[in-house]
Amino acid sequence: MKKVVWGILLFLICLCAYYLYKPLKQIVNIYTGNYSLCLQPFDDLPPGQAMRIYNKIKMDIPDLRIASSLPLPANAWIKTRGRYKADTIIYWLRQRSADTILYIGITSKDISTTKGKVADWGIMGLGFQPGNGCVVSTFRLNKTKEDEQLYKLCLHELGHNMGLPHCPQKYCYMRDAEGGNHKDDENGFCQSCAKVLEHRGLHFVPVDK
């Protein structure tokens, strides 16, 4: 019996390591096959903001593309709270997209997800871990530093899509928001997170503070 238990544990450890260090194309292949990254702005964004964020992220990810603006899906609207369901937006992007595209959706509207017993938890962004899509919102960002914080938020949710969990380092882009906005404290991906992204084809200079 002990040998069976240890065998199962060893299998699970190997499986976790396999998914943690798979190259980007392979991890996205869980859902999509060959991939490309695409910024998907929604038409509630102020003019020019999507292109500014696109140009900034493209410096890190040269193959990034940008799509034409679209209206948010009507079925994601939560009338009682005046919010959009982030999960529904991501599923909608998957359904309308080619199998080869990983979308980063951007909106200015308030978004939410289910967290524990709270069915409508307000969030800045959501990215499945791993997954082939994420969505971010400027609604809870600092308006005087919105573009910089939005850039960091996009990379955070993309990191989740690449399989990264939240990071304990307070300066890392993968820090858990824990219900607040700590984007001003984040300076880049830490050594550990940058190493995982490197294995998946995304190259970031790591920071240590």
Side-chain angles (χ1 to χ4, degrees):
M1 178 61 72
K2 288 185 178 180
K3 289 184 178 180
V4 173
V5 173
W6 279 110
I8 293 173
L9 287 174
L10 182 60
F11 171 78
L12 292 174
I13 291 170
C14 292
L15 185 64
C16 290
Y18 173 68
Y19 280 112
L20 187 60
Y21 290 101
K22 289 174 71 177
L24 174 61
K25 287 187 178 181
Q26 290 179 318
I27 199 162
V28 177
N29 273 351
I30 295 173
Y31 303 106
T32 65
N34 295 325
Y35 77 97
S36 60
L37 299 174
C38 183
L39 202 65
Q40 176 59 70
F42 290 101
D43 57 14
D44 51 87
L45 284 179
Q49 186 171 39
M51 187 57 66
R52 292 196 302 273
I53 299 304
Y54 165 74
N55 288 331
K56 189 166 180 60
I57 299 176
K58 191 173 176 65
M59 294 177 66
D60 301 307
I61 308 174
D63 293 335
L64 180 71
R65 296 187 293 138
I66 186 169
S68 300
S69 295
L70 293 172
L72 284 161
N75 65 331
W77 175 245
I78 306 172
K79 185 177 181 180
T80 56
R81 298 300 301 273
R83 292 173 172 170
Y84 286 85
K85 200 73 170 180
D87 317 63
T88 304
I89 295 172
I90 294 174
Y91 288 129
W92 180 80
L93 286 172
R94 285 181 178 179
Q95 291 171 359
R96 65 169 286 107
S97 72
D99 291 340
T100 57
I101 302 175
L102 190 161
Y103 278 109
I104 306 171
I106 304 181
T107 178
S108 64
K109 300 298 185 181
D110 196 7
I111 61 175
S112 66
T113 190
T114 299
K115 183 177 181 180
K117 295 182 179 180
V118 182
D120 188 34
W121 180 269
I123 55 174
M124 292 188 291
L126 181 68
F128 297 139
Q129 178 194 333
N132 69 330
C134 58
V135 62
V136 299
S137 167
T138 65
F139 189 82
R140 289 178 167 78
L141 301 183
N142 185 320
K143 300 310 174 186
T144 63
K145 303 176 181 179
E146 192 168 271
D147 281 2
E148 181 64 26
Q149 292 193 351
L150 180 57
Y151 159 76
K152 294 177 182 180
L153 183 58
C154 287
L155 293 184
H156 175 100
E157 300 306 340
L158 180 60
H160 282 320
N161 282 168
M162 298 301 103
L164 285 175
H166 284 136
C167 179
Q169 302 292 350
K170 301 303 182 184
Y171 58 83
C172 182
Y173 286 157
M174 296 310 299
R175 173 180 181 173
D176 189 346
E178 297 179 320
N181 180 352
H182 308 287
K183 292 301 172 189
D184 288 344
D185 300 329
E186 300 169 7
N187 300 314
F189 289 107
C190 69
Q191 294 278 348
S192 177
C193 292
K195 182 178 180 181
V196 174
L197 293 176
E198 182 77 20
H199 279 276
R200 292 173 190 164
L202 298 180
H203 308 286
F204 292 90
V205 177
V207 297
D208 57 10
K209 61 180 180 178

